[in-house]
Amino acid sequence: MRCGCVALCRGGVTVPQRGWVWQYLSMPDSAANGSASANGTAPAVELHNISKGFPGVVANRDISMTVERGTIHAIVGENGAGKSTLMKTLYGLHQPDSGTIAVNGTEVEFGSPSDAIDSGIGMVHQHFMLADNLTVLENIILGAEPATGGVIDSREAARQITELARSLGVEIDVNSPVAELGVGQRQRVEILKVLYRGAKTLILDEPTAVLVPQEVDELFENLRRLVDAGTTVLFISHKLDEVLAVSNRITVIRQGTTVGTVTPAEVTRRQLAEMMVGSDLPQPEPRTSEVSDRVRLEVKNLSVSRPGRRDLVHDVSFAIHSGEILGVAGVEGNGQFELCSALLGREHSNGTVAIDGKDVSHASVRDRKNAGIAYVPFDRQREGLMLTSSLWENNLLGQEEKFTKYGFVNVAAARAACREVISRFGVLTPNEDVPAFALSGGNQQKLVVGRTMSMNPAVLLAAHPTRGIDVGAQAAVWEEIRTARDAGLAVLLVSADLEELLGLSDRVIVMFEGSVVAELSPRDATPELLGSYMTGAKVAAR
Amino acid sequence: MTGKRNVIDTLPRPVVTLLSSLVAVLLALAICGVLLLVTGKDPLAAYRTILETGLTGNKLLEMLKRSTPLMLSASAVAIGFKMNLFNIGVEGQYLFAALIAAEFASRISAPPVLHVLLTLVVASAAGAFWASIAAMLKITRGINEVISTIMLNFISLSVMQWLFDNYMRDDSDGGLRVTTTEIAPSGQVPDIVDGRLNGMWLVALFVVFCYWLIVFRSKFGFRLRSSGLNSTAAQTSGIAANRMIVVAMLLSGAIAGLVAMQSVVGEEYAYGPQATPTGFGFAGIAVALLGRNHPVGIVVAAMLFGFLDSTSAVLQLSGIPNSIVKVIQAVVVITVVIVNEATSRYMNHRTAEQTAAALRADKVGT
């Protein structure tokens, strides 16, 4: 059925007003895909056993997938699952360690994005790359200016762009400066820019992250028109609703590898969520603990607001007792990060926060820290490490007060403290003088966790404490958290790994769109149940 | 035991850094040599003149003397650099401070050493005050310090002109003097070598030492550097960003306030629009870049710039345009930045590989 449509459009006769566009769109790959046009059925993109590693991390492992021409193919997965790495491979931003890529049935090797563009693959990045003070036209032709004798043929370019825009179903004034456009329109300009370069396969990296719901609908309408005309769209997202609404096929990626490819008709949102978070990971043994009556962290009516937007955290209340681990489940981006930021005092919030009965609602980050709060960050490199500094300096960060004498840093003591963290948490490093960037991601994480635990906190905010570290280290981190818990620590555990969450937590709350939508006992919470709360499919009265 | 493995295969990092800077300087000389050739001058003759005249005793003393304001200015800039603050306002800060301190010193009477100390404190306070305006603008209104410090340079000059013309100019000889009132001998800093090298050189060295102590050894310095390396991580670990901005800016301004003091308390014993040297605020940026914000680097770079400056008069005598000195200084900064970037990338790569290798060796060994 879809092939029929493609053939129709390719003819360029039945829709004369669009004739040029289809001619243009099919131009760049006409040379490369001679074979494909012959047998019209070759998939737009095929990936076979793609693997890509970075020092210390395997980002993609044995990824295979087939993207049929003229479809919207979604790639879903948690943050950090390897979606972006895969798309960068496909766009030629880096080369895979192993595996092959075939475009329209022909095997290709992309040394750089320009090779990918030549094969008809274009990418629209999550963050727009437009020059604000240039016009729409100038932005679109930038780098591919149609020129005769060194003079840019603006009129011809304007004509081509207007036609392209019409094919998308977009009205756009090519002469207005990009600075005057709204976010949705800017995204259209990005898409037009890629189409203008002759892309037949569009990669959209989290395109809806920056859009409001109406704009999302418009974008989807545009995308449908594109695929009806034979373009292929690769749509990266972790928003399951959108993925189910717009795509023809969905490939799920978890921990760097493909879990499976499904059609929207054959899965429910819940099943998709389960595929995304998985349930075959090493499992922490549930262990009963003595939760005392003493409240260590009390949060009441906490909200984080942004003008003109839905609250990032909305009216969240909970208490964590001494010796208790409270798990926070939720698809990433539903307020967990902002909740932690607000608790740390890094982000302005309304409501009250008390640590060990002491009100710290208006206290600074340092005062809250001194009151006993500690944090294992979501993003260790951005929030936790100075990559070019030595390990001992990184270990010192946040506890420099403790290692200061008369205003000067006690280097010997700071080094000794770092060596202790290294040995206690099994950080693989030759010594404490190595800069942090030289360590693998897992070892960086061990150092960050070790630093946090060695501060003997009263309340621990642990965000993905075992993300990116190997199985053995994972067990060690779990054991450290448990031991500290047994000694009276209160833990807020944010994790995308449901097994970790259910295995470690004494109670679990679920966050959806900034609110706590459910509170469960880990004994009653199945991954299926959690999944339905996490995606908003089910709302429980608390 | 652990420390030794790193030095096995090649030179330690500081040596490599030093060598790379040397290469950069030679590269700059080569580029300037080509420039000289193109303009029809003999580069070898020019460099020979620079070396021959520069390496005499008197010129070497002049080099040290000329390095004094550069060391101070570079330290002021470097403190900002260490936490990603670009203080381009050193120029305005030190000129303002020079005027205020000169006026202050001429009006008070105090015993010799105390007189000088008080003057220097006032100079630092005036410099810090001027820098604090930019700091306040940044933390209250979010105004980029690059913009505000540049603009404050101009405001500084206008304010000074007004103060000088209306209140601080010494008209006792019928308006012939274009300086403030001369500072009494108790407020003058003596020369170390008569007429060649002033005592302020030692003060500048001491300030560079303090810069090292504060930035590289103190808790405050650790917080400052952390904020510069990763502001998000620093904030997350409880370092208050705004407080760091204010303190860093004040310190930078306080050091900047001393830049012209060699002239004020060591040579002219007064401030004057013509008498007080200008341009050190910008030269300091180049010296800080060249010295990679490291105290030793700053001292060496200041001496190199001072050396080149000291030869500039002689060059002109031998028919070589003395502007080549400025060209060399400028090109050196560019080549050093480029070579250092390349070196540090290479070294980072090497460190990562060595670490991985060391770990492999560990595993094999056990």
Side-chain angles (χ1 to χ4, degrees):
Chain A
M1 182 194 78
R2 285 206 184 275
C3 292
C5 175
V6 172
L8 193 70
C9 298
R10 281 245 165 131
V13 186
T14 45
V15 266
Q17 75 274 24
R18 291 182 183 174
W20 171 81
V21 176
W22 308 126
Q23 217 177 349
Y24 188 85
L25 287 179
S26 52
M27 193 171 66
D29 60 341
S30 53
N33 72 352
S35 62
S37 326
N39 70 23
T41 56
V45 177
E46 287 169 282
L47 300 173
H48 293 294
N49 304 102
I50 296 282
S51 292
K52 174 74 186 172
F54 297 106
V57 218
V58 180
N60 284 158
R61 179 162 39 93
D62 260 344
I63 289 200
S64 298
M65 60 184 283
T66 303
V67 182
E68 296 298 339
R69 189 157 342 134
T71 61
I72 299 181
H73 195 123
I75 297 173
V76 299
E78 287 276 327
N79 286 347
K83 296 172 300 207
S84 295
T85 306
L86 181 64
M87 288 306 109
K88 282 178 181 167
T89 308
L90 181 54
Y91 189 51
L93 284 163
H94 55 221
Q95 284 68 49
D97 298 336
S98 61
T100 58
I101 304 173
V103 174
N104 296 320
T106 315
E107 199 171 300
V108 289
E109 261 179 49
F110 296 150
S112 71
S114 58
D115 291 347
I117 293 168
D118 289 343
S119 297
I121 293 176
M123 184 157 178
V124 175
H125 296 271
Q126 191 175 357
H127 304 285
F128 302 149
M129 303 185 176
L130 298 172
D132 268 2
N133 45 5
L134 297 186
T135 64
V136 169
L137 176 90
E138 288 165 337
N139 264 293
I140 290 175
I141 64 174
L142 194 64
E145 299 87 350
T148 38
V151 181
I152 293 176
D153 188 351
S154 297
R155 190 171 302 179
E156 173 61 14
R159 196 184 63 77
Q160 295 179 3
I161 292 165
T162 312
E163 272 197 71
L164 276 176
R166 206 172 291 149
S167 77
L168 261 179
V170 176
E171 284 297 323
I172 202 157
D173 175 9
V174 295
N175 292 316
S176 56
V178 162
E180 290 173 9
L181 302 185
V183 174
Q185 283 179 301
R186 285 176 194 226
Q187 190 169 53
R188 268 5 147 257
V189 175
E190 284 278 13
I191 293 174
L192 284 170
K193 187 172 171 173
V194 173
L195 291 177
Y196 184 79
R197 279 160 180 69
K200 288 285 291 167
T201 300
L202 277 183
I203 304 171
L204 300 176
D205 187 5
E206 306 256 357
T208 60
V210 292
L211 302 179
V212 298
Q214 296 91 318
E215 287 175 325
V216 171
D217 292 341
E218 282 170 32
L219 172 69
F220 287 172
E221 192 47 44
N222 299 154
L223 294 183
R224 285 192 192 102
R225 273 170 172 260
L226 267 180
V227 296
D228 284 346
T231 306
T232 308
V233 174
L234 268 163
F235 177 86
I236 304 174
S237 183
H238 61 248
K239 296 186 184 166
L240 302 181
D241 278 332
E242 294 174 355
V243 165
L244 287 167
V246 75
S247 15
N248 305 103
R249 303 187 81 188
I250 304 166
T251 295
V252 181
I253 293 186
R254 190 206 320 145
Q255 294 194 331
T257 194
T258 38
V259 179
T261 298
V262 293
T263 64
E266 63 190 37
V267 285
T268 63
R269 184 162 51 174
R270 203 182 69 191
Q271 289 168 322
L272 206 54
E274 282 168 37
M275 287 176 78
M276 235 166 94
V277 293
S279 46
D280 57 339
L281 301 171
Q283 194 174 347
E285 296 262 310
R287 195 164 83 193
T288 50
S289 68
E290 301 279 310
V291 177
S292 84
D293 294 340
R294 189 156 67 97
V295 174
R296 300 210 84 168
L297 176 69
E298 184 161 35
V299 178
K300 276 187 191 151
N301 309 108
L302 189 82
S303 291
V304 175
S305 311
R306 285 273 191 291
R309 280 177 63 185
R310 180 164 52 73
D311 282 358
L312 294 168
V313 176
H314 182 71
D315 199 18
V316 168
S317 301
F318 57 80
I320 310 180
H321 300 82
S322 177
E324 185 180 33
I325 298 177
L326 177 66
V328 180
V331 176
E332 274 198 65
N334 276 287
Q336 302 95 319
F337 179 77
E338 289 77 11
L339 173 66
C340 286
S341 286
L343 293 177
L344 279 173
R346 212 166 52 168
E347 175 124 39
H348 177 79
S349 60
N350 297 313
T352 58
V353 180
I355 298 168
D356 281 337
K358 188 180 159 221
D359 182 45
V360 293
S361 313
H362 304 286
S364 68
V365 179
R366 194 186 299 177
D367 288 344
R368 291 180 193 218
K369 199 182 185 76
N370 291 340
I373 205 161
Y375 175 54
V376 173
F378 282 77
D379 183 338
R380 57 181 163 257
Q381 297 200 347
R382 209 173 74 80
E383 302 172 81
L385 292 170
M386 302 175 288
L387 287 176
T388 52
S389 295
S390 64
L391 296 188
W392 72 263
E393 284 176 298
N394 273 290
N395 186 60
L396 184 61
L397 187 64
Q399 43 184 349
E400 61 271 7
E401 212 81 60
K402 202 161 82 187
F403 295 99
T404 299
K405 239 184 195 171
Y406 312 116
F408 291 99
V409 173
N410 185 346
V411 178
R415 282 169 175 277
C418 183
R419 280 196 297 271
E420 202 188 308
V421 167
I422 289 172
S423 67
R424 184 169 137 199
F425 286 83
V427 182
L428 278 182
T429 175
N431 56 54
E432 73 275 16
D433 287 313
V434 165
F437 69 78
L439 296 195
S440 69
N443 281 303
Q444 289 175 354
Q445 182 72 5
K446 286 189 234 170
L447 183 83
V448 170
V449 172
R451 174 177 75 189
T452 311
M453 298 305 285
S454 69
M455 292 181 203
N456 291 323
V459 175
L460 175 70
L461 311 180
H464 311 296
T466 61
R467 172 172 280 180
I469 67 181
D470 51 85
V471 179
Q474 201 172 24
V477 169
W478 286 335
E479 198 47 44
E480 280 286 341
I481 292 177
R482 277 197 178 124
T483 310
R485 185 259 318 260
D486 293 345
L489 181 74
V491 183
L492 183 79
L493 174 71
V494 179
S495 181
D497 177 348
L498 289 187
E499 298 302 325
E500 171 175 288
L501 208 59
L502 296 177
L504 281 180
S505 308
D506 299 295
R507 271 187 302 143
V508 175
I509 56 175
V510 184
M511 283 188 84
F512 178 69
E513 296 192 339
S515 300
V516 172
V517 292
E519 180 177 330
L520 312 156
S521 153
R523 272 168 292 281
D524 311 332
T526 57
E528 293 74 22
L529 185 62
L530 275 179
S532 60
Y533 284 123
M534 283 164 66
T535 51
K538 188 170 175 181
V539 179
R542 282 188 75 197
Chain B
M1 171 208 120
T2 40
K4 277 176 193 158
R5 248 176 236 138
N6 259 2
V7 268
I8 305 171
D9 59 8
T10 35
L11 301 159
R13 198 161 178 143
V15 176
V16 177
T17 308
L18 197 73
L19 283 177
S20 82
S21 298
L22 208 64
V23 167
V25 170
L26 291 176
L27 199 64
L29 289 179
I31 292 171
C32 293
V34 172
L35 278 177
L36 282 169
L37 266 181
V38 169
T39 54
K41 309 285 176 196
D42 179 3
L44 291 178
Y47 291 152
R48 197 180 308 122
T49 316
I50 290 179
L51 279 181
E52 277 171 3
T53 56
L55 291 179
T56 57
N58 283 348
K59 282 289 175 193
L60 287 177
L61 286 172
E62 191 183 336
M63 165 186 88
L64 294 182
K65 184 175 182 176
R66 284 177 185 269
S67 73
T68 305
L70 289 170
M71 284 192 274
L72 292 165
S73 169
S75 305
V77 173
I79 279 201
F81 275 153
K82 274 292 172 192
M83 71 162 292
N84 286 341
L85 277 176
F86 207 157
N87 180 9
I88 308 188
V90 171
E91 186 78 10
Q93 288 149 21
Y94 88 73
L95 287 172
F96 178 75
L99 173 67
I100 300 297
E103 182 66 14
F104 169 83
S106 70
R107 287 189 184 215
I108 63 160
S109 51
V113 177
L114 186 65
H115 195 157
V116 171
L117 281 180
L118 284 174
T119 308
L120 296 183
V121 168
V122 166
S124 280
F129 163 73
W130 203 253
S132 73
I133 302 174
M136 287 306 160
L137 286 172
K138 188 175 174 84
I139 64 166
T140 58
R141 314 295 321 161
I143 294 166
N144 188 311
E145 77 285 353
V146 175
I147 312 282
S148 60
T149 52
I150 289 180
M151 292 170 115
L152 280 163
N153 282 340
F154 293 99
I155 299 174
S156 166
L157 285 177
S158 307
V159 169
M160 287 166 60
Q161 196 170 12
W162 169 69
L163 280 175
F164 182 73
D165 288 344
N166 293 293
Y167 304 103
M168 298 180 176
R169 186 178 171 138
D170 178 11
D171 286 331
S172 56
D173 56 358
L176 291 171
R177 286 175 64 98
V178 275
T179 60
T180 54
T181 315
E182 188 169 307
I183 300 168
S186 62
Q188 302 178 357
V189 172
D191 286 344
I192 303 170
V193 181
D194 233 4
R196 302 273 178 207
L197 184 61
N198 186 260
M200 280 301 291
W201 179 67
L202 293 175
V203 174
L205 277 182
F206 177 70
V207 168
V208 175
F209 173 74
C210 290
Y211 163 78
W212 172 77
L213 208 58
I214 291 172
V215 172
F216 291 85
R217 280 292 172 265
S218 76
K219 179 181 76 181
F220 165 76
F222 178 75
R223 289 184 169 161
L224 181 100
R225 284 180 291 128
S226 306
S227 304
L229 288 167
N230 186 345
S231 60
T232 313
Q235 238 171 311
T236 302
S237 71
I239 298 169
N242 280 350
R243 196 184 314 167
M244 297 307 297
I245 289 172
V246 172
V247 179
M249 224 34 201
L250 287 179
L251 271 179
S252 177
I255 297 179
L258 300 175
V259 169
M261 294 319 282
Q262 178 172 257
S263 161
V264 171
V265 297
E267 286 177 281
E268 307 289 341
Y269 310 124
Y271 168 86
Q274 273 84 50
T276 305
T278 58
F280 283 119
F282 304 113
I285 298 173
V287 173
L289 279 174
L290 190 55
R292 307 194 74 193
N293 304 323
H294 191 276
V296 175
I298 285 173
V299 171
V300 173
M303 291 207 295
L304 176 68
F305 270 46
F307 173 79
L308 290 169
D309 281 337
S310 72
T311 61
S312 109
V314 189
L315 274 181
Q316 201 147 29
L317 291 179
S318 32
I320 296 155
N322 65 350
S323 47
I324 191 67
V325 165
K326 291 286 167 212
V327 176
I328 294 176
Q329 289 176 345
V331 175
V332 163
V333 172
I334 296 171
T335 53
V336 162
V337 169
I338 295 170
V339 171
N340 276 337
E341 182 60 30
T343 316
S344 93
R345 278 184 197 193
Y346 171 75
M347 291 301 289
N348 283 351
H349 182 72
R350 204 187 80 181
T351 310
E353 278 191 341
Q354 283 181 342
T355 307
L359 290 176
R360 274 196 300 275
D362 254 7
K363 274 184 191 159
V364 172
T366 50

